[in-house]
Amino acid sequence: MSRQYVPVPGVSQSMVDLGIPPGLHFPPRARHVHPMIIDMMPLLDMAQNEMNLWLAWKDMIPNPPSDKAKAVGRLDRAVKITNLLLKEWWDAEESVHDSKFIERILEVAESPSEGLPRMDGQTYRDVLYDLWKQELYSNQYGEGIILRRFRAARVAAAHRTALAFRSDSVQNNVSGQPRFRIQETPIPACFEPCAWLEYREWEGELPHFLWDIHARATVTKFPEKVEYLVISHTWGRWRIQGPGVAVDGVPWLVPSNTLFDVRQLPDILSRVPFKTRYVWFDLVCIPQDESDLQTREISRQALIFKSAKWAMVWFNRLDNFAGLRAACKWVSYLYLSTLKSYSFDPISEDLIASLARLASQTTGLANTVEDEDGDHYDRLFFSRSEGSSTKYMIPDGWFTSLWTLQEACLRPDLYLCNKNWEVFRAEGPTGMAVPIDHIISLLDLALHDNLFPSDLPRGVHELLGILHKTAMMKLLDMSLVDLLVFGNQRHCADTNRAVAIMSALGTTAWYGAWLAYRAEHPELSEEQLIETTLVQGRFPLDFVREVHARFGGLLFAAVDTTGLAANHYRFSRWPWRRRTRIRDTALRATMMPFGRDIRRARAVPAPDLVDGVDSHPAVAGWAVALDGSVRVPAAGVMAAWPASTYPPLSADVAVVQPLGRPGGGATQFRGAVEVNAWLGSFRPRAEKLAVCLLRKPGKDHSLCVGALLEKVYVKGSDNLFMKFGVFLFVQGEAFEFPPSKPLDIRIL
C-alpha cells in the first residue's frame, strides 16, 4: 500500500535557510507536528513517528554530527533553546521513571487522541511537559507557543539554579528526584532580549577593537569568527577629571577613576576567568578621544554585546560572594521544599535555621547608610533589619547606572565576578556558574506569593530589594518603554542620557546630527545645551522623535504610579464639588515615559508590549515638543464626555486621578469600567477623551491600549489637555482601529 503525502502549510524560515524546498511533503500524521519538529525531519533523514524524531533530535542538538552541524547551527535561536530545554527535562524524567512511564508516552505518541499522561503538580515538570506536548502535537503556532517557551525557560532556570545549590541532588538520586544534569553553560532564561531589534542587520559584524590578553594590547585584527567576552562595569561617577593617562597597549589616553588604577588594566584583564583570548572592555576598546570612531562604536553597543560569546559583570568593589551565595541557597531550599512530588529527603529544622543565619549576612551588593543622603539617582530603600534606627541601603553603582541598564537588557545572561575575578558559583562539586537571569528567575518563582518581606532573612530581603528598586526584577520582561521609564531613574554622567540606551532601543540615527549641533555651538554651556536640545532636560528631542517614528504609540503608553501632592493642580470651584474643573497644573510631559522629576514613577500597564504592535494611523502625525507636550491634530477617539456618541467601551483603566477637593492631590485607581460613563463620574463639567494608541493582534484575540485625556481650562487656551491614565482591553476577534477624528489639541 503506497503512502499518502500532504503539503505542510507555512514552511518555516529555518527550513528555507537549510535549503529545503517549500513544496516538501510529509506523511499525513505530520499535520499534528509542530513546525519545530518538521524542521528536524530532513536533518534526521527520517519519516517515522514524531516520538522517534524527537528522541533522535534531542540527542543531536548538543553534539550534532559533522555533516549536520552547520544545519543545526543555522536553526532559529528560539528553536535551539526550546530543544535544549526539552532535552534537559526529558533526560531528568528518564532518570527517575520506570520503563512503563516511557512506554506509555511512546504509545500515546502513536495515538494522540488517547490523551497524554499527566504530571503531578511540580511547577517545573508541569510547565516543561506542557511545552513538550505543544511542540510535538499542536498544529497551532502563535502567541500560545511563544508564551509557553518563555515561561518554560524561566522556570527551568529557577529549577536548575535551586538544584545547583542543593549539591547532593546532583550526586545522588535522592528519594526518586529526577537526576538533573547541571550545565556548565546554562540555557538562557530569556528567549529574545530586546526582541524589537533587527539582529539580522548585524550578522557577521564585530567590534572594531578587542583586547588581546596574550598580546596585552588593543587590537583590530582577530579571527573572523572570534569568540570574545564582553565585560559590563561602571566607573563614570568616579572619574578623575583630567586628560587621562597612558596605558600600555592602548592607543589612546584612558580616563582615570577612584575605583581601580587604569594603568594596571593589562594585569587586571589578564586575570579574566574565561577561556578566551579576547575581551571587550570599554576603556580599552572604545576610543576616548571624541573621534568619529568613538561615535561609531558607542552606537554599536547592541551589536558588541549581542555578538559576544560570554558576558559578565565586574563588581569592582565587592570582596566576595559569601553573602549572595548564602541568600541564593536559602531561596533554593525554600523552592525545593515546595515541590509536590519526588521530594527530597525531609529538610531538618536545624538545617533551615542554619541556612537562615547564613542568609542574614549582607550580600555585599548594597551599602547601609544612616540617612537618606545618597546621590538622587541611587534607589534608596529602607532596611528593616537594622533595628529601630532609620537606615537605608544604597545598591552598588552597577545597579543604578544607565549604561549598565542597557547592557543588562542586551545580555540578561551576565555572569557575576567580584573584584578578584572570582565567578559567582553554586556550592558543591558541580560549581555551576549562576548568571543574573537565573538569580532573577529563582527569586521570582520561589518568592512569588510565598512570603512577606518580614519573613525573609536580611540577605534575601536585601537582594530582593535591590532587584526590585532598580527594576532588575523586570529584566526578563523589559520592554522598550521600560528602558525609558527606568532609564529616567538611573545615573548617567553624560549630559546626553540617550547615548547610554539608544543602542538597545535601536534608535541611533539622531546621534550624528546631535554631535554636529554641539560642535557648531561651542559657546553653549552644559545648562544651555540641556535647555535647547533635551526634552524635559532628559533626552534629546531628535532622539525622542526617532523613538516615536519607530515605535509609534508605545512611546505614550506609560502611566503615572505616584500619588501627586495637591499643589500639582489648581481647580475652578463651583458650589458643588462634583463640578470642579482643572484650571491649571504644574505637571508637564504627561504623555512621556520620563520627566525632570525622577521621583514621579511610571509603569507600562500591559507586560507584553514588546513586539508585534501596530499603532493607530493618526499617532504618526503627532508631534513631540521640547517641553514634553504633544501636538495632536487627529486621533482615534473611542470614548468621550460629555454627550458621548460613541458605542459602549468596557476596559480596564489605570489612572492617577486628581481628587479636586481641599487638601487632596491625586489617587491611584485601577479597575474595569464602562469608559464613557466612568469619564462622567468625576468632574462632569470637564471634557474628557479616550483615544486609541495601539493594538497587538493575536491569533484569537487583540489587545488595545489607549490614553485617557482631560481638558485643562487655562485662560486663553481652548485646546489644552493632560493625560491622566491609560485604558486597555482584550477583544476576542480582530480589533479594527476607530476612524481618525480631527482634534487639534495639545497635551501637556
Side-chain angles (χ1 to χ4, degrees):
M1 180 176 176
S2 61
R3 288 191 176 187
Q4 296 180 356
Y5 289 83
V6 295
V8 178
V11 176
S12 66
Q13 181 60 44
S14 56
M15 291 180 67
V16 175
D17 290 342
L18 291 168
I20 301 168
L24 188 68
H25 287 59
F26 294 108
R29 282 169 32 73
R31 287 174 295 180
H32 300 287
V33 185
H34 189 271
M36 181 185 76
I37 305 298
I38 295 174
D39 288 347
M40 302 173 185
M41 289 179 170
L43 299 180
L44 297 169
D45 300 321
M46 299 175 66
Q48 303 176 34
N49 61 59
E50 298 95 300
M51 179 59 66
N52 284 340
L53 286 169
W54 161 245
L55 294 175
W57 178 254
K58 64 104 177 174
D59 289 327
M60 180 201 292
I61 279 289
N63 300 294
S66 57
D67 63 326
K68 296 184 174 67
K70 184 177 181 180
V72 171
R74 292 168 63 184
L75 286 175
D76 181 79
R77 169 186 165 90
V79 172
K80 288 189 283 189
I81 294 176
T82 301
N83 275 280
L84 290 172
L85 289 170
L86 293 175
K87 173 178 168 52
E88 185 180 55
W89 163 76
W90 184 273
D91 289 346
E93 294 297 337
E94 283 187 319
S95 72
V96 66
H97 286 303
D98 57 27
S99 59
K100 290 184 179 179
F101 181 88
I102 303 299
E103 288 174 3
R104 175 60 181 150
I105 293 182
L106 290 169
E107 291 172 2
V108 172
E110 295 298 322
S111 304
S113 61
E114 294 184 11
L116 288 157
R118 295 181 59 83
M119 292 288 109
D120 35 35
Q122 185 185 115
T123 302
Y124 168 73
R125 301 178 72 208
D126 285 343
V127 169
L128 268 294
Y129 184 59
D130 179 61
L131 177 66
W132 183 81
K133 288 192 300 183
Q134 292 297 319
E135 295 286 0
L136 258 70
Y137 297 108
S138 173
N139 57 6
Q140 304 289 327
Y141 183 80
E143 192 171 349
I145 287 288
I146 294 172
L147 292 176
R148 282 179 169 89
R149 287 177 173 179
F150 286 8
R151 171 68 172 160
R154 298 177 193 189
V155 170
H159 194 76
R160 187 182 306 123
T161 304
L163 290 177
F165 278 97
R166 172 92 185 214
S167 57
D168 58 353
S169 69
V170 181
Q171 297 305 304
N172 304 293
N173 193 8
V174 183
S175 298
Q177 178 66 26
R179 187 184 302 279
F180 199 89
R181 297 175 183 173
I182 302 300
Q183 306 282 339
E184 176 59 28
T185 304
I187 304 167
C190 185
F191 262 79
E192 294 292 342
C194 301
W196 53 87
L197 294 176
E198 298 292 338
Y199 294 126
R200 289 180 181 272
E201 296 177 2
W202 312 330
E203 193 169 0
E205 292 194 45
L206 290 168
H208 188 84
F209 296 105
L210 287 174
W211 178 262
D212 187 332
I213 294 175
H214 295 175
R216 295 170 68 89
T218 300
V219 297
T220 58
K221 294 183 179 180
F222 31 78
E224 182 180 351
K225 294 185 178 180
V226 63
E227 293 184 346
Y228 64 94
L229 165 72
V230 66
I231 300 175
S232 173
H233 72 119
T234 184
W235 57 274
R237 272 170 280 181
W238 297 271
R239 178 172 182 166
I240 299 173
Q241 295 302 315
V245 300
V247 175
D248 290 344
V250 183
W252 51 76
L253 296 180
V254 177
S256 297
N257 64 75
T258 59
L259 297 178
F260 56 90
D261 186 353
V262 296
R263 293 170 298 184
Q264 300 300 316
L265 277 174
D267 291 329
I268 292 173
L269 294 176
S270 69
R271 299 164 57 195
V272 168
F274 285 77
K275 295 178 180 179
T276 180
R277 176 175 175 174
Y278 297 99
V279 168
W280 188 93
F281 189 83
D282 59 354
L283 289 172
V284 299
C285 294
I286 294 182
Q288 304 294 312
D289 53 8
E290 298 188 0
S291 63
D292 290 342
L293 190 53
Q294 180 194 47
T295 301
R296 177 175 179 268
E297 291 303 281
I298 287 175
S299 66
R300 298 170 78 233
Q301 292 295 286
L303 177 155
I304 290 168
F305 272 76
K306 293 298 296 180
S307 299
K309 175 74 172 180
W310 308 275
M312 58 155 280
V313 182
W314 182 38
F315 290 108
N316 46 41
R317 294 189 291 177
L318 181 63
D319 292 320
N320 60 70
F321 287 119
L324 179 60
R325 185 173 291 111
C328 288
K329 187 168 185 176
W330 185 89
V331 177
S332 296
Y333 274 71
L334 171 69
Y335 163 73
L336 295 173
S337 69
T338 65
L339 301 186
K340 297 180 180 179
S341 64
Y342 297 98
S343 60
F344 297 99
D345 289 338
I347 301 173
S348 69
E349 293 184 4
D350 290 342
L351 177 57
I352 291 294
S354 174
L355 291 174
R357 284 193 298 271
L358 289 172
S360 294
Q361 63 183 301
T362 178
T363 62
L365 298 176
N367 299 315
T368 303
V369 296
E370 292 289 340
D371 302 304
E372 192 174 351
D373 59 356
D375 188 292
H376 65 293
Y377 290 104
D378 289 321
R379 303 288 288 160
L380 299 167
F381 56 101
F382 181 61
S383 173
R384 54 113 177 109
S385 59
E386 294 292 332
S388 58
S389 61
T390 301
K391 295 189 178 183
Y392 293 85
M393 289 182 285
I394 305 177
D396 181 273
W398 185 86
F399 289 101
T400 56
S401 163
L402 184 56
W403 285 96
T404 58
L405 175 65
Q406 170 174 259
E407 292 159 5
C409 286
L410 291 168
R411 291 300 298 258
D413 58 340
L414 287 157
Y415 292 99
L416 283 59
C417 280
N418 60 26
K419 70 178 185 181
N420 301 313
W421 295 102
E422 296 167 332
V423 179
F424 177 57
R425 294 179 176 274
E427 295 176 324
T430 60
M432 185 184 87
V434 182
I436 196 166
D437 61 351
H438 280 51
I439 296 174
I440 293 168
S441 298
L442 175 64
L443 289 169
D444 184 52
L445 186 62
L447 298 180
H448 189 68
D449 296 333
N450 275 5
L451 288 176
F452 295 102
S454 59
D455 298 317
L456 302 177
R458 171 186 169 174
V460 180
H461 166 78
E462 182 180 288
L463 178 59
L464 198 60
I466 291 170
L467 296 177
H468 269 300
K469 295 296 182 179
T470 63
M472 294 301 287
M473 282 301 290
K474 273 191 66 69
L475 184 61
L476 305 185
D477 292 306
M478 195 76 72
S479 72
L480 59 95
V481 186
D482 288 325
L483 268 172
L484 292 168
V485 169
F486 301 127
N488 192 53
Q489 299 170 322
R490 291 284 187 121
H491 186 282
C492 184
D494 298 275
T495 301
N496 184 353
R497 302 173 59 82
V499 296
I501 58 170
M502 63 179 181
S503 194
L505 288 170
T507 50
T508 59
W510 64 275
Y511 188 39
W514 190 87
L515 289 174
Y517 176 85
R518 186 171 182 174
E520 292 168 2
H521 298 83
E523 74 283 359
L524 294 178
S525 66
E526 287 294 306
E527 292 75 16
Q528 290 172 324
L529 195 64
I530 289 172
E531 293 302 320
T532 57
T533 64
L534 305 187
V535 177
Q536 284 281 293
R538 307 304 284 169
F539 295 102
L541 178 59
D542 287 344
F543 165 75
V544 177
R545 286 177 172 173
E546 186 177 343
V547 172
H548 173 217
R550 177 165 181 178
F551 300 113
L554 277 173
L555 176 63
F556 312 118
V559 62
D560 271 293
T561 59
T562 307
L564 302 171
N567 59 9
H568 281 86
Y569 308 97
R570 285 190 293 171
F571 298 94
S572 300
R573 300 195 178 279
W574 278 264
W576 299 278
R577 178 168 57 86
R578 283 172 51 82
R579 295 187 177 182
T580 302
R581 289 175 170 177
I582 300 175
R583 64 183 177 90
D584 203 357
T585 176
L587 297 179
R588 293 295 182 269
T590 61
M591 291 285 280
M592 296 293 105
F594 58 85
R596 291 184 189 276
D597 188 354
I598 65 172
R599 296 168 299 178
R600 217 174 115 198
R602 298 163 174 85
V604 182
D608 56 348
L609 297 179
V610 176
D611 57 357
V613 172
D614 301 326
S615 293
H616 190 281
V619 174
W622 299 1
V624 180
L626 195 62
D627 62 357
S629 65
V630 180
R631 175 67 64 180
V632 178
V637 180
M638 300 193 68
W641 181 268
S644 173
T645 58
Y646 299 94
L649 174 63
S650 297
D652 291 322
V653 297
V655 303
V656 174
Q657 183 180 322
L659 295 178
R661 63 170 180 258
T667 183
Q668 297 181 44
F669 173 75
R670 289 174 179 263
V673 300
E674 196 291 304
V675 179
N676 288 285
W678 176 76
L679 290 175
S681 66
F682 56 94
R683 290 184 293 283
R685 289 178 56 88
E687 184 179 346
K688 307 180 192 75
L689 298 169
V691 300
C692 180
L693 291 175
L694 56 91
R695 67 184 176 193
K696 183 173 183 179
K699 184 172 182 61
D700 302 314
H701 64 275
S702 295
L703 170 68
C704 175
V705 179
L708 297 166
L709 310 176
E710 181 172 355
K711 189 169 184 177
V712 179
Y713 291 84
V714 175
K715 188 175 181 179
S717 178
D718 293 330
N719 64 347
L720 205 59
F721 283 73
M722 63 173 285
K723 187 179 85 171
F724 67 94
V726 298
F727 67 91
L728 63 157
F729 61 88
V730 175
Q731 185 168 294
E733 61 275 2
F735 169 70
E736 297 295 332
F737 281 131
S740 296
K741 176 182 178 180
L743 292 179
D744 192 23
I745 63 174
R746 186 167 71 93
I747 306 174
L748 288 173

